[in-house]
Amino acid sequence: MSTKTHFDAAFALKKPCGNCPFLKDGAIELAPGRLQSIAKGLLDDDHSNFHCHKTVYNERTGGSMMENDEGETKYQCSHKESFCAGAMILMEKMGHTSILMRVGRLMGAYRPDDLLTHKTKVIEPEQLGLQSLNK
């Protein structure tokens, strides 16, 4: 029997992927304003997390698209996705962590020091027009 939990998958990434949208160099190009929208959503909603695009769109770990009663198509999590390391580093730089990041830290699944060794690779909050809570 496996002892792995959703937290193990969620916090599996220890550094941003090569084209993480939160990288200073080599980031995947997003629609104008999309990165700011993602970051603002993470700040505005403590329950919100951003999954790594490489684990969402992946046969082994990704979920599926489901249509609801209103005809809207939404992503249904598999709970095997990992949180985006770049997004978590940005949140740490801003002095803000999600509820799951805080619970993960208490459970020993999330160790910010593992990620923060890569903090110089990730954009600064000011580049998105956001202010750090650490200042």
Side-chain angles (χ1 to χ4, degrees):
M1 185 168 134
S2 174
T3 58
K4 293 214 176 244
T5 68
H6 171 61
F7 284 101
D8 294 314
F11 300 109
L13 299 179
K14 304 302 180 205
K15 65 180 182 178
C17 64
N19 64 344
C20 175
F22 293 93
L23 288 177
K24 290 177 182 174
D25 298 309
I28 189 172
E29 191 171 326
L30 300 178
R34 177 67 179 130
L35 195 59
Q36 290 87 345
S37 173
I38 293 167
K40 186 162 176 12
L42 292 170
L43 286 174
D44 290 348
D45 181 2
D46 259 8
H47 296 94
S48 182
N49 293 285
F50 185 70
H51 291 108
C52 173
H53 65 283
K54 290 188 176 180
T55 65
V56 170
Y57 301 105
N58 181 301
E59 283 184 28
R60 191 173 44 74
T61 58
S64 57
M65 299 304 283
M66 306 290 282
E67 191 172 305
N68 64 19
D69 293 337
E70 291 81 38
E72 299 170 318
T73 303
K74 300 222 176 200
Y75 181 76
Q76 179 65 46
C77 235
S78 71
H79 299 292
K80 295 177 186 173
E81 298 92 347
S82 295
F83 294 151
C84 172
M88 290 191 291
I89 292 169
L90 180 68
M91 291 173 72
E92 289 284 356
K93 284 182 170 190
M94 293 174 49
H96 177 86
T97 54
S98 70
I99 289 173
L100 285 179
M101 289 169 73
R102 294 190 297 266
V103 171
R105 185 181 296 177
L106 290 171
M107 293 179 64
Y110 173 57
R111 291 173 293 285
D113 290 343
D114 293 344
L115 289 175
L116 292 175
T117 60
H118 303 280
K119 71 180 180 181
T120 59
K121 298 175 187 173
V122 172
I123 58 176
E124 298 302 323
E126 296 78 16
Q127 290 176 264
L128 297 176
L130 302 170
Q131 290 195 339
S132 173
L133 300 175
N134 289 330
K135 292 182 178 180

